[in-house]
Amino acid sequence: MNKKVKLLIVTQKVDENDDVLGFMHGWIKEFARQCEKVTVICLYKGQYNLPENVKVLSLGKEDGVSRLKYFVRFYNYIWRERKNYDNVFVHMNQVYVILGWKIWRLLGKKIGLWYAHGYVPFSLRLAEKPLHKIFTSTVSGFRLNSKKLHIVGQGIDTEIFAPINVKIENDRLRIISIGRISPVKNYETLIKAVEVLIKRGMKLEVNIIGGVGLPEQEQYLDVLKKMTKSKELESVIHFKGAVPNKDIITVLQKSDLFVNTSLTGSLDKAMLEAMSIGLPTLTCNEAMLEVLGDYKRKLMYNKKDFEALAEKIVYIIGLNAKEKEKMSTDLRDIVVKDHSLPRFVKMILDNY
């Protein structure tokens, strides 16, 4: 822990009630615990409850200000606050690096970027050049060759995402999948797998948690709902909409199995949150090859292979109590060891 560090964090949103970026609230708290001072510049400011050594400055999206004003505020903040930070940590949006690097370099600030996604836009290639440090979760999370790269895992609050001793009795296997409603999440594979199992007479309850934000995502949700109806699965598969990240723990604790069908190729926080509470987690995401260790063969299937996913679900159902307990303990141990939030923040700060 280095209490002398003064850090600037640049991120899209500070809002503990957000379903996608709500976790950032917890990250900022942990950075504040390990730093002397944290200044946060965000595009959108919602509800938050952060320590006294944190200052949050918004570019004003919540007030509907113009894009021009975003730029004016951004440059004003990074210059005005220059004595309140030594290092810069940009979260997922490399455009802020492109906008700010000249001033930050002029001021002698070290610039770091967190990027964990399989997509490599041209802007990322541009941003890589002036950066001092790049942080990602796994090898597959940053697909450019760079000597600046540091693999630090993910940041999961394992004290919050913890198992509970009492499970609610249910005669159905309760499956949960979490992620925005987008074609890249490939929910069709889950729907088809469930259809296979229902035809075999299995009792299932499937909850898909995730919101929509773009017109194409609304269209995709309509496609999924029509698909569910055509397969007569409306009483089995439920689209629950967005749930704030801070409330996801309750939903996970009421589930028996987490299924991820995403095609992004990057390490999904939701999977690690599920593992942290001890949920068996099935996935086709290649990033998990670096995470699951001896459980790779047991818990992974090929992308879009709904029959293989169905068989993996059958395998989970067939585990006895002792086997389930061991799997739950082992999966949580992976997260605690390699992806706990305090470890994550310390590794980032130590690598500046």
Side-chain angles (χ1 to χ4, degrees), residues 88-135:
V88 180
F89 178 73
V90 178
H91 176 255
M92 279 304 291
N93 195 333
Q94 63 279 359
V95 173
Y96 290 120
V97 176
I98 296 170
L99 292 174
W101 74 267
K102 288 185 179 179
I103 293 175
W104 288 327
R105 284 272 185 170
L106 179 67
L107 293 171
K109 312 298 185 183
K110 287 188 177 179
I111 313 165
L113 171 69
W114 165 265
Y115 191 89
H117 201 284
Y119 180 50
V120 183
F122 180 66
S123 58
L124 186 63
R125 297 178 185 275
L126 286 179
E128 189 272 340
K129 304 302 179 186
L131 283 166
H132 294 90
K133 305 289 180 179
I134 300 164
F135 305 103

Side-chain angles (χ1 to χ4, degrees), residues 19-20 176-181 187 207-212 221 225 238-244 248 251:
D19 62 314
V20 177
I176 186 169
S177 190
I178 299 173
R180 72 184 187 280
I181 303 298
Y187 287 115
N207 291 312
I208 296 175
I209 308 293
V212 294
L221 178 58
K225 287 181 175 180
H238 311 284
F239 296 92
K240 295 291 191 177
V243 174
I248 283 293
V251 181

Side-chain angles (χ1 to χ4, degrees), residues 24-42:
M24 197 66 197
H25 190 271
W27 281 23
I28 295 168
K29 273 189 174 181
E30 184 59 31
F31 274 112
R33 192 181 71 83
Q34 297 192 35
C35 293
E36 177 187 338
K37 181 179 292 187
V38 174
T39 304
V40 183
I41 297 175
C42 59

Side-chain angles (χ1 to χ4, degrees), residues 1-2 23 26-35 152-161 276 332 335-351:
M1 191 177 299
N2 191 343
F23 72 87
W27 281 23
I28 295 168
K29 273 189 174 181
E30 184 59 31
F31 274 112
R33 192 181 71 83
Q34 297 192 35
C35 293
V152 296
Q154 265 285 3
I156 307 298
D157 191 331
T158 56
E159 292 186 7
I160 292 177
F161 288 92
S276 185
R332 174 168 169 78
V335 181
V336 171
K337 177 177 176 289
D338 298 328
H339 303 280
S340 70
L341 184 54
R343 172 191 178 276
F344 169 80
V345 168
K346 185 177 186 303
M347 287 187 71
I348 289 172
L349 295 176
D350 286 351
N351 277 297

Side-chain angles (χ1 to χ4, degrees), residues 240-255:
K240 295 291 191 177
V243 174
N245 182 259
K246 66 184 177 65
D247 298 329
I248 283 293
I249 177 62
T250 303
V251 181
L252 288 170
Q253 288 174 336
K254 293 178 180 178
S255 304

Side-chain angles (χ1 to χ4, degrees), residues 13 26 29 47 59 66 97 113 134 141 267 280 283 288 295 329:
K13 185 177 286 191
K29 273 189 174 181
Q47 183 175 326
L59 299 182
S66 68
V97 176
L113 171 69
I134 300 164
L267 186 57
T283 181
M288 292 296 278
Y295 282 96
T329 300

Side-chain angles (χ1 to χ4, degrees), residues 290-308:
E290 303 171 50
V291 174
L292 287 173
D294 294 339
Y295 282 96
K296 289 194 293 283
R297 290 187 178 182
K298 294 178 180 179
L299 298 178
M300 296 190 71
Y301 61 94
N302 292 329
K303 292 180 179 180
K304 298 186 177 182
D305 190 341
F306 66 91
E307 291 177 332

Side-chain angles (χ1 to χ4, degrees), residues 80-223:
R80 189 185 77 192
E81 299 294 324
R82 63 191 183 277
K83 294 183 180 179
N84 292 325
Y85 64 93
D86 306 308
N87 301 328
V88 180
F89 178 73
V90 178
H91 176 255
M92 279 304 291
N93 195 333
Q94 63 279 359
V95 173
Y96 290 120
V97 176
I98 296 170
L99 292 174
W101 74 267
K102 288 185 179 179
I103 293 175
W104 288 327
R105 284 272 185 170
L106 179 67
L107 293 171
K109 312 298 185 183
K110 287 188 177 179
I111 313 165
L113 171 69
W114 165 265
Y115 191 89
H117 201 284
Y119 180 50
V120 183
F122 180 66
S123 58
L124 186 63
R125 297 178 185 275
L126 286 179
E128 189 272 340
K129 304 302 179 186
L131 283 166
H132 294 90
K133 305 289 180 179
I134 300 164
F135 305 103
T136 192
S137 53
T138 62
V139 172
S140 58
F142 191 85
R143 302 189 182 191
L144 290 177
N145 290 325
S146 177
K147 294 180 180 179
K148 305 169 185 178
L149 185 62
H150 299 271
I151 298 170
V152 296
Q154 265 285 3
I156 307 298
D157 191 331
T158 56
E159 292 186 7
I160 292 177
F161 288 92
I164 56 174
N165 295 325
V166 179
K167 281 285 186 181
I168 299 170
E169 292 299 324
N170 197 307
D171 65 344
R172 300 171 183 270
L173 181 78
R174 297 160 299 182
I175 297 173
I176 186 169
S177 190
I178 299 173
R180 72 184 187 280
I181 303 298
S182 173
V184 75
K185 298 299 184 179
N186 184 39
Y187 287 115
E188 298 94 328
T189 297
L190 176 56
I191 294 170
K192 291 176 183 177
V194 170
E195 180 187 27
V196 170
L197 297 174
I198 291 296
K199 286 181 177 178
R200 293 188 194 178
M202 295 184 181
K203 294 182 178 181
L204 305 173
E205 176 186 316
V206 181
N207 291 312
I208 296 175
I209 308 293
V212 294
L214 302 173
E216 57 264 36
Q217 293 173 348
E218 291 278 6
Q219 293 167 10
Y220 180 59
L221 178 58
D222 288 339
V223 169

